[in-house]
Amino acid sequence: MGRSGERSPRRPSGPLARHLRDADRSRRGTGEGGRRRAAAVRSALSGRSVAGQVFAMNVIIVLLLVVAAAVALVLQVRRDSTVEARNRSVAVAATFADSPGIREALRAPDPTAVLQPRAEAVRRATGVDFVVVMNTDGVRYTHPKPDRIGKEFVGNIAPALAGETVTEEVEGTIGPLVQAVVPVEAPDGRVVGLVSAGITTENVGGAAERQLPLVLIVAGVGLVLATAGTALVSRRLMRQTHGLGPREMTRMYEHHDAVLHSVREGVLIVGGQGTLLLANDEAQRLLALPADAEGRHVTDLGLPADTAELLASQEVATDEVHLVKDRLLAVNQRPTDVRGGPAGSVATLRDSTELRALSGRAETARERLDILYAAGVGIGTSLDVARTAEELAELAVPRFADYVSVDLFDTVLAGGQPGGVTPLRRAALSGIREEVPLYPVGRQIRFVDSSPQGRSLNTGRPVLEPRLGDAHGWQAQDLERSAQVVEYGVHSLITAPLRAGTLVLGVVSFWRSVKPGPFDEDELALAEELVARAAVSIDNARRYTREHSMAVTLQRSLLPRRMPEQNALDVAYRYLPAQAGVGGDWFDVLPLSGARVALVVGDVVGHGLHAAATMGRLRTAVHNFTSLDLPPDELLGLLDELVGRIDQDEAADDGSAPVTGATCLYAIYDPVSRTCVIARAGHPPPALIRSDGVVEFPEVPAGPPLGLGGLPFETTELRLAEGSRLVLYTDGLVEDREHDIDVGLELLRRALETAGESPEETCRAVLDARLPDRPGDDIALLVARTRALGPDRVAEWQVPNDPAAVGEVRSQVTRRLTEWGLDELAFTTELILSELVTNAIRYGGETVHVRVLYDRSLICEVFDSSSTSPHLRYAAMTDEGGRGLFLVAQLAERWGTRYTPAGKVIWAEQPVP
């Protein structure tokens, strides 16, 4: 903190400093902490911080200690060497003086000749620098340097002459030295000579110097280790002091004490084991802590159990209120072990005793705001009027009232506009108990004008009845039930009208029974605002209900009301509108020429009136295009152009982008050839249940959805055995928010595998297995079981390109009609075929083919290779021809032309008697 210019209050005590330091360190990021630690090291080394000064002082002290120790060690070595030299000199001299023959040699005529070799041998053996033998006058008999023999000995020999041993440091003939002089005594104790042995100072110091490198190495190692230890201690101190200098730390701790002990909030620091580490003056006062509280466990301080438990738990607490003796304390607590800090917690205490009354009012206001907020998000979750009324009643119990009833006009429940003369119906009732004697849900009610509900409906204002027992106007509504309600314990009432603009949709009643106090004016205002918010949602649901009803009505009017009569397919269907709104799904079964049948399933994007109207336009277009007897791919191409034009018209009207889109599947089944030609435009593929029960999804090219344009559609031809079931559906059956289409198709396959054989059983099994509780999209399901028109009901002939062949055709047809029992149609059929075959021979090309089908009607078909279609016209009086086709139109019930890849077919149908 000292590095960034910030200051944090601290207390000189170790625990507080440690906790505040670790808490501060835990709040710092890793990168920032690294930069600050580097800055702290530089600050520490600069000597301005406490850590730097401690480090420098310790290093200096250690250095001085190491130097002093090295000097003392050197001096000690030198002293020990001198003592050793004295001892060795005495030992050598005394030993030589007491050696055998020394006295005799001294009395010999030439003592040097005898003693010099022996002295040199001893000198070399003992490592001393000299062994000198002299007479009592100090004249040398021996010396390492022969030229010194005969000269006077350098040193004090007087004590030796007195029979004592002398050691001294003198400047001898061979340099400074340490020597010892020992007397040689005769048997009678008389001194007859002297022996001196010594070591030069150079050899004494050399021993010390030889030990000096070892001493210096040991001193250096000690200095390095001491410096490293000092650095670690300084680093720890630096982290604890954050690189602050002495003056800064003194000022910081003084400020810390001033703030900590003068602040009007109690501060507690509790360790990880629940031990109280610190309590400031205000905490001591608020909690009435003993003088020795610090260091004791918080549960041993005489605090209430809930307060002590909170302080020992180290849990997070925000403005948690605790009653301690006669004080109401707001406690905030945070753990200190966040991001690697020490275990424990810091708690602050605030005396809120004087704010108790204000807190109560604030809590009431908060609860009311909470109710209004919950109303905003909890009322109107669905677009159902009754459910919205139930949400209002459930929300207010028991937060605001013990019982809530919602009464709406019948027309509102149906989606219409409310009227004053229409009765109300109880749409919702919620309460803390179920046996309350209020009107039940569904009960039709007419409130009298004197009742609180009647006054609210008439005036449009809320009404407060604080004491129901004294409210005679309310009792006049139903004397018996009113008495039961009061006896049950309901004693206060607020009524508020459900107003949406100028419309009054109904009335809401709030009843109180458990809480002894009556409703007040503040609660009246809350009830009014709560009901006003709910009224908007109820009105939205009412409007949606009206639009939904209109859309359902429109859509059902546009869907087929019954299936057309035909023999090619057994058909069953189901249509289920979406729960959220009517969509644009549709289906159709359309008989075609030649006993064929077209199956159509489509889906318009979107919901509501627009989707239903667009669906009606597309269904009408499919009917019209079907009359042209087009193949499936060509029909989808025309639909695609139509949807594109609808998009352009809508964009031109309001300037917005096109919003229309649709998918469609179109299939044509021929019972004669038992083939089914299918094409689809962005629609889910059909399912096929073969006669052996195997379920498959035929490969039908998807094609683009209608309205995109630019791409052709492709067809697939299936050959179906009699009894096969073709299942067509919209995407609402196989797609939802929880599963994609692949899962939906697999689930549909499983449902179809267990379905019964009839189309009705198939529809029932599919919906039982796949219908969701609240479908989010329309579902259209069409199941068609195939039939075949057998060879015994089909007659075919190839006709030569010769007008004379017409007669033979008439004869063969007459015989076949006789076999079928249709003799009554023989004459008209001959006329129709004669005209059609003659025209085909004359204008249709070389190949002419005749086919007669006996189905629900008698169908005559003439195939030729020409693509020219005949036209019906009125022939003039002078025209020789042109009346044949007119005659065909008069005799047949229906007639027409359809085109094939090889030419065309002209057909005519006659009803079978």
Side-chain angles (χ1 to χ4, degrees), residues 434-455:
E434 296 182 357
E435 63 274 10
V436 62
L438 296 173
Y439 289 126
V441 175
R443 173 73 175 268
Q444 196 176 66
I445 308 171
R446 290 184 181 273
F447 290 106
V448 299
D449 293 339
S450 63
S451 66
Q453 291 85 352
R455 282 183 285 162

Side-chain angles (χ1 to χ4, degrees), residues 188 239 276 449 467 475 568 795 803 806 818 822 842 855 909:
D188 57 359
R239 294 172 60 188
L276 180 62
D449 293 339
R467 289 173 291 277
Q475 295 176 359
V806 175
T818 300
L822 302 176
R842 182 178 300 177
D855 193 37
E909 292 186 6

